[in-house]
């Protein structure tokens, strides 16, 4: 064998400590953003049937939930609201006493060190379940921007640290940025759902947020999963309009898109590890088909390797515990 010439790559893989020494990609607790679903009422803590371990909680259980996150070392949350009343314009989304606005105030009063991100959309609040205002059976893009801007402003007034618009209306970053600036919130960043596909991975989230559309689907405003160049056009528009973060959603099936967005833009990139990705692993683990800890950490690390700086994930609590181990 002495006359063979080849590289000995295995030298750097021999031991745990050697592998740790040369590891290129690292997952930290500071990278994790935990989604929380807040509902009206009292003493409500409902596990979402399609998302084991994820709960809808009322405000009286919110303190317990946030304290758990703080104790785990998770420093950021994104808040989704499930209102008790819905109407055609989603008025509870931008009401001063809407469920998200009240939740934000409570979190910031009790845990001011937490970074609170407000999801800014209308789908949970409209009786038709779409992300904008419906006129003559179609989504009126420009009218929707007015309601979305009002929502963002009331969320900022409640104390949100970051506004995260997820509606995929054209011009939503420009409209919300202008509205925030005019309301005196020029210091509040916008975490744009810049690249959001019309994905089949969202089903469990719609169970949790009660946000399924009552007619049609969202393919006319969310992106076609087949398209890559369209993602770059969407991201470029949001950069031009003043976005401070860019989200790619979903994450796992779109790591190629995530890498390309990261290579092109120097803004912080956020992977949204969505509900379907979460539920598949939970179901497989409950059946004993996979090692949950190993597969979760491998998956989250793949998102970091693809360029994500931050990860919105329902696995945040689990991952924090794994990192401690």
């Amino acid at each position: 064998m002495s006359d063979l010439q080849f590289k000995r790559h295995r030298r750097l893989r021999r031991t745990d400590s050697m592998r740790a020494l040369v590891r290129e990609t690292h997952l930290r607790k500071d990278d994790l953003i935990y989604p929380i679903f807040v509902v009206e009422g009292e003493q409500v803590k409902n596990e979402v049937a399609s998302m084991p371990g994820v709960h809808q909680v009322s405000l009286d259980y919110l303190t317990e939930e946030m304290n758990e996150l703080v104790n785990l070392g998770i420093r950021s949350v994104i808040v989704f609201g499930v209102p008790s009343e819905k109407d055609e314009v989603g008025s509870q989304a931008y009401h001063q006493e809407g469920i998200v606005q009240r939740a934000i105030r409570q979190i910031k009063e009790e845990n001011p060190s937490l970074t609170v991100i407000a999801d800014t959309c209308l789908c949970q609040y409209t009786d038709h379940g779409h992300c904008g205002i419906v006129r003559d059976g179609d989504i009126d893009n420009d009218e929707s921007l007015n309601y979305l801007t009002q929502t963002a402003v009331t969320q900022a007034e409640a104390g949100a640290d970051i506004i995260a618009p997820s509606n995929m209306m054209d011009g939503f970053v420009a409209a919300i940025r202008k509205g925030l600036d005019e309301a005196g919130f020029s210091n509040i960043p916008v975490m744009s759902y810049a690249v959001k596909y019309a994905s089949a991975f969202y089903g469990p989230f719609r169970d949790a947020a009660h946000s399924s559309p009552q007619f049609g689907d969202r393919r006319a405003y969310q992106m076609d999963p087949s398209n890559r160049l369209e993602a770059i056009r969407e991201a470029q528009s949001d950069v031009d309009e003043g976005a401070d973060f860019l989200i790619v959603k979903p994450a796992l099936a779109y790591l190629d898109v995530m890498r390309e967005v990261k290579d092109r833009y120097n803004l912080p990139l956020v992977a949204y590890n969505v509900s379907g990705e979460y539920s598949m692993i939970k179901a497989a683990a409950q059946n004993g088909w996979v090692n949950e800890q190993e597969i979760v950490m491998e998956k989250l690390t793949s998102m970091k390797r693809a360029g994500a700086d931050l990860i919105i994930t329902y696995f945040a609590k689990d991952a924090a515990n794994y990192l401690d181990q």
Side-chain angles (χ1 to χ4, degrees), residues 128-141:
H128 47 72
H130 279 284
C131 302
I133 305 304
V134 176
R135 298 294 182 228
D136 299 323
D138 195 15
I139 310 301
D140 189 315
N141 188 94

Side-chain angles (χ1 to χ4, degrees), residues 121-124 126 128-132 139 166-169 196-199 202 205-206 209-224 249:
C121 197
L122 300 179
C123 59
Q124 300 104 291
T126 54
H128 47 72
H130 279 284
C131 302
I139 310 301
S166 60
N167 52 87
M168 288 299 285
M169 298 295 111
K196 183 177 180 180
Y197 285 91
S199 172
Y202 300 152
F205 173 90
R206 292 172 183 170
H210 298 173
S211 62
S212 296
Q214 299 303 300
F215 66 90
D217 54 39
R218 295 174 179 150
R219 296 176 187 273
Y221 46 100
Q222 294 178 358
M223 287 177 47
D224 185 333
K249 180 183 182 182

Side-chain angles (χ1 to χ4, degrees), residues 2 8 16 30 39 77-78 93 105 107 127 162 185 194-196 204 213 224 240 243 270 273 307 311 315:
S2 61
R8 293 195 178 272
D16 284 343
D30 285 349
V39 299
V77 296
I78 183 166
R105 285 196 291 269
I107 295 169
D127 53 16
I162 299 172
F185 295 106
V195 180
K196 183 177 180 180
D224 185 333
D240 293 342
V270 186
N273 176 206
I311 304 173
F315 282 115

Side-chain angles (χ1 to χ4, degrees), residues 39-40 81-95 98-99 102 122-128 210:
V39 299
E40 303 278 5
V82 184
S84 57
E85 299 178 7
K86 303 188 180 194
D87 56 38
E88 64 178 359
V89 296
S91 59
Q92 287 298 306
Y94 49 87
H95 197 288
I99 186 61
R102 284 183 284 148
L122 300 179
C123 59
Q124 300 104 291
Y125 307 93
T126 54
D127 53 16
H128 47 72
H210 298 173

Side-chain angles (χ1 to χ4, degrees), residues 37 73 80 107 115 118 169 171 181 186 198 279 309:
F37 297 95
F80 297 91
I107 295 169
T115 297
M169 298 295 111
D181 291 350
S186 59
S279 297
D309 300 291

Side-chain angles (χ1 to χ4, degrees), residues 41-278:
E42 295 181 351
Q43 297 186 324
V44 179
K45 188 173 184 179
N46 296 328
E47 185 172 43
V48 180
S50 56
M51 300 178 70
V54 174
H55 295 82
Q56 300 169 325
V57 297
S58 52
L59 294 177
D60 49 333
Y61 278 113
L62 187 57
T63 299
E64 174 186 316
E65 190 81 9
M66 294 301 104
N67 287 343
E68 180 185 2
L69 295 175
V70 170
N71 291 334
L72 286 169
I74 296 169
R75 304 176 65 179
S76 302
V77 296
I78 183 166
V79 182
F80 297 91
V82 184
S84 57
E85 299 178 7
K86 303 188 180 194
D87 56 38
E88 64 178 359
V89 296
S91 59
Q92 287 298 306
Y94 49 87
H95 197 288
Q96 293 283 355
E97 294 300 319
I99 186 61
V100 164
Q101 286 78 359
R102 284 183 284 148
I104 292 168
R105 285 196 291 269
Q106 181 174 322
I107 295 169
K108 294 304 292 185
E109 287 171 4
E110 296 176 348
N111 290 287
S113 64
L114 279 175
T115 297
V116 178
I117 304 163
D119 177 78
T120 305
C121 197
L122 300 179
C123 59
Q124 300 104 291
Y125 307 93
T126 54
D127 53 16
H128 47 72
H130 279 284
C131 302
I133 305 304
V134 176
R135 298 294 182 228
D136 299 323
D138 195 15
I139 310 301
D140 189 315
N141 188 94
D142 294 5
E143 184 180 358
S144 299
L145 295 179
N146 296 326
Y147 291 99
L148 292 162
T149 299
Q150 291 180 56
T151 301
V153 170
T154 61
Q155 291 169 339
E157 289 172 343
D161 298 292
I162 299 172
I163 299 299
S166 60
N167 52 87
M168 288 299 285
M169 298 295 111
D170 290 337
F172 68 94
V173 173
I176 287 172
R177 180 72 275 158
K178 182 174 184 289
L180 289 172
D181 291 350
E182 290 178 350
F185 295 106
S186 59
N187 60 323
I188 299 297
V190 173
M191 179 183 284
S192 171
Y193 286 67
V195 180
K196 183 177 180 180
Y197 285 91
S199 172
F201 285 96
Y202 300 152
F205 173 90
R206 292 172 183 170
D207 293 341
H210 298 173
S211 62
S212 296
Q214 299 303 300
F215 66 90
D217 54 39
R218 295 174 179 150
R219 296 176 187 273
Y221 46 100
Q222 294 178 358
M223 287 177 47
D224 185 333
S226 301
N227 291 353
R228 176 183 62 86
L229 295 178
E230 183 184 8
I232 303 306
R233 295 197 297 272
E234 288 279 1
Q236 183 65 61
S237 292
D238 289 1
V239 170
D240 293 342
E241 292 171 19
D244 301 283
F245 302 78
L246 300 175
I247 298 176
V248 173
K249 180 183 182 182
L252 198 58
Y254 300 90
L255 295 178
D256 59 323
V257 174
M258 194 179 305
R259 179 74 266 168
E260 190 157 2
V261 171
K262 183 62 176 179
D263 287 345
R264 287 174 179 261
Y265 306 107
N266 61 5
L267 295 178
L269 180 63
V270 186
Y272 199 136
N273 176 206
V274 300
S275 59
E277 298 167 350
Y278 171 88

